[in-house]
Amino acid sequence: MSINSIENATRYSEELDKVFEQKSATGFFADNALKTKFVGAKTVIIPDIDFQGLADYDRDTGFSRGAITVSNSSYTMSMDRARSLQIDREDMDETGIANLAGKILGEYVRTKVVPECDSYVLSKLAGLAATRANLIDGNIEKPYEALCSLINEVQKKVGYDEELVAFIDSAMYAAFQNSTEISRLIDVTDFKQGNINLKVKSINGVALIPVVSERMKTAYTFNNTTAGGFTPLSNAREVYMLVCPKSGAHLVKKTEQMRIFTPEQNIDADAYKFDYRIYYDVFVKKSGLDAIWAWLSPEVTISAQPEDKTVTEGSISGSVSVTASSEGTLTYQWYSCTDTAKSNAVKIASATSSSYTIPTTLEEGKYYYFAKITVDGIASVDTTVATVTVEGSED
């Protein structure tokens, strides 16, 4: 069976797009991109229409002439992401390739592509709200009041007949779920996302879309290393809530394609090779810039990061520490890991202060530690990693 065909590549691309629609929290923004037009490799044009208001009718001269202004704004796409995946020939038989490949690729989109796209879209929208000072100062003990404030600010801009969506951090969503007062206000409504009809919870007609905390930050680094993926910036803030019109942003995906090669065509390995590429970005029209509002966590300022230490085996003393401040209440948790990239991080029991005493039982070698600083029990930021080098004693 030949897997390298246009038909199979198209079928996989279509199925992966369905996975994106079903699993992405922000995928419905792609429905707003139908009227965009590409004019170059990285440029997309989105029309913005404005009208003049009504004027008095004159019985002698008749109608007052009004202008229609169509502003074709050009936007530059920045997210061109790809990955090549391989499945060894020996991991499957000829009849099982299509089924196994479909499962692997679907899982890749669900666990890697969708989280990254959601994180990018939400961080860009939250950053836009922060840049334009479209922020509220909510009370974590009263999440419903904060949501109503956000909705009110958006409705001031777009009116009361526009369909709104509210992206809610998982911790805040849990507060909604646990409140008996709010639970009586929650309804289940239909929500269309692409060709998928979903059931979502809503309050006062506003769809509530819960999003895991890792995708609700204000800024990320989208890695171009071997591991790839994305990580929050050290100074990123948690997005507690973000409210905007459902039509308020345009998610443009220019390329979402799959190339497939059999082991005979793959010159690098005796394996089936799947090349996946997605070229995308999210844009907001000028007329909708002030229709996006957010509630962010208090900012955490780290004035002193943990410092590297060198100690001697058998006579270890000292600690690693961090100095931080915030308008919110800070708590600390220290972790050990296996490198400066925070790989294989493990929580250290009872290490919950701003400093961590270096264990006196460490043997010769290198050890890595960092602290997670949490504000108000919800949002968290990580410190840099401190390297503790244990040298052997001369004895």
Side-chain angles (χ1 to χ4, degrees):
M1 178 186 69
S2 174
I3 194 170
N4 186 38
S5 67
I6 294 177
E7 180 183 355
N8 274 329
T10 300
R11 178 168 56 84
Y12 278 123
S13 294
E14 290 175 348
E15 291 302 315
L16 295 179
D17 193 51
K18 290 179 182 178
V19 173
F20 189 95
E21 287 183 356
Q22 291 175 329
K23 301 300 181 181
S24 172
T26 60
F28 63 86
F29 284 135
D31 300 342
N32 303 328
L34 299 177
K35 295 182 180 179
T36 60
K37 180 172 66 175
F38 291 97
V39 295
K42 292 186 176 182
T43 304
V44 62
I45 285 180
I46 300 177
D48 209 341
I49 303 174
D50 192 19
F51 304 92
Q52 288 183 313
L54 290 171
D56 289 343
Y57 179 82
D58 190 290
R59 291 179 179 271
D60 294 322
T61 60
F63 294 92
S64 298
R65 181 173 297 178
I68 300 176
T69 302
V70 180
S71 174
N72 286 320
S73 301
S74 60
Y75 301 86
T76 301
M77 299 178 66
S78 60
M79 298 300 289
D80 193 355
R81 307 283 281 172
R83 180 62 81 182
S84 184
L85 305 172
Q86 293 191 146
I87 307 175
D88 193 272
R89 185 201 295 268
E90 297 303 319
D91 289 339
M92 66 196 71
D93 57 31
E94 183 72 5
T95 59
I97 172 61
N99 185 48
L100 181 58
K103 290 181 178 179
I104 291 176
L105 296 172
E107 190 69 2
Y108 184 75
V109 170
R110 186 183 71 83
T111 61
K112 300 298 182 181
V113 178
V114 167
E116 178 173 313
C117 289
D118 281 347
S119 299
Y120 175 77
V121 170
L122 292 170
S123 66
K124 189 168 181 178
L125 296 181
L128 174 62
T131 299
R132 300 185 68 84
N134 295 341
L135 302 174
I136 68 160
D137 185 14
N139 184 337
I140 61 171
E141 301 295 332
K142 300 177 180 180
Y144 179 62
E145 286 187 8
L147 176 61
C148 289
S149 295
L150 288 169
I151 293 172
N152 184 51
E153 293 294 346
V154 176
Q155 288 177 333
K156 285 180 184 178
K157 181 66 179 178
V158 302
Y160 296 88
D161 58 349
E162 187 80 22
E163 186 176 3
L164 305 185
V165 292
F167 299 98
I168 302 178
D169 174 84
S170 53
M172 285 297 168
Y173 192 71
F176 277 112
Q177 299 289 82
N178 293 331
S179 172
T180 56
E181 180 182 9
I182 297 174
S183 64
R184 292 195 296 269
L185 302 174
I186 295 178
D187 298 317
V188 177
T189 58
D190 294 322
F191 189 83
K192 187 171 178 59
Q193 180 160 299
N195 296 318
I196 307 296
N197 289 313
L198 305 174
K199 294 288 186 181
V200 301
K201 293 182 178 180
S202 65
I203 289 182
N204 299 331
V206 178
L208 307 180
I209 302 178
V211 185
V212 295
S213 294
E214 70 170 9
R215 307 184 201 179
M216 292 286 279
K217 309 290 184 183
T218 54
Y220 293 89
T221 296
F222 295 91
N223 304 313
N224 193 31
T225 60
T226 301
F230 63 100
T231 51
L233 293 183
S234 58
N235 61 345
R237 298 166 68 181
E238 192 90 2
V239 183
Y240 287 160
M241 296 183 191
L242 187 146
V243 176
C244 66
K246 188 180 179 184
S247 60
H250 297 255
L251 176 58
V252 182
K253 293 186 294 179
K254 184 175 182 181
T255 301
E256 189 175 13
Q257 294 181 348
M258 177 70 61
R259 298 193 310 169
I260 304 172
F261 301 91
T262 64
E264 291 74 22
Q265 296 164 325
N266 184 358
I267 63 174
D268 298 320
D270 184 25
Y272 291 92
K273 182 182 177 184
F274 302 86
D275 291 344
Y276 177 85
R277 181 185 178 194
I278 180 169
Y279 188 19
Y280 73 98
D281 213 321
V282 64
F283 307 108
V284 177
K285 295 193 295 185
K286 293 178 181 179
S287 60
L289 292 175
D290 287 322
I292 298 172
W293 282 74
W295 175 25
L296 307 180
S297 66
E299 193 167 2
V300 176
T301 300
I302 300 177
S303 54
Q305 295 277 3
E307 296 182 349
D308 296 342
K309 302 281 185 180
T310 300
V311 296
T312 303
E313 184 180 9
S315 59
I316 296 174
S317 63
S319 62
V320 289
S321 61
V322 59
T323 303
S325 60
S326 174
E327 293 181 359
T329 301
L330 297 181
T331 56
Y332 302 84
Q333 175 61 61
W334 286 89
Y335 289 77
S336 64
C337 50
T338 55
D339 55 35
T340 56
K342 303 176 183 176
S343 303
N344 306 309
V346 177
K347 185 186 296 184
I348 303 173
S350 302
T352 55
S353 68
S354 59
S355 64
Y356 172 63
T357 302
I358 301 171
T360 58
T361 56
L362 295 181
E363 299 178 349
E364 184 177 359
K366 290 184 180 293
Y367 300 84
Y368 305 90
Y369 302 98
F370 70 93
K372 184 179 292 292
I373 306 172
T374 303
V375 57
D376 292 337
I378 300 176
S380 61
V381 295
D382 291 349
T383 67
T384 58
V385 175
T387 302
V388 175
T389 302
V390 180
E391 297 179 339
S393 61
E394 295 181 357
D395 296 338

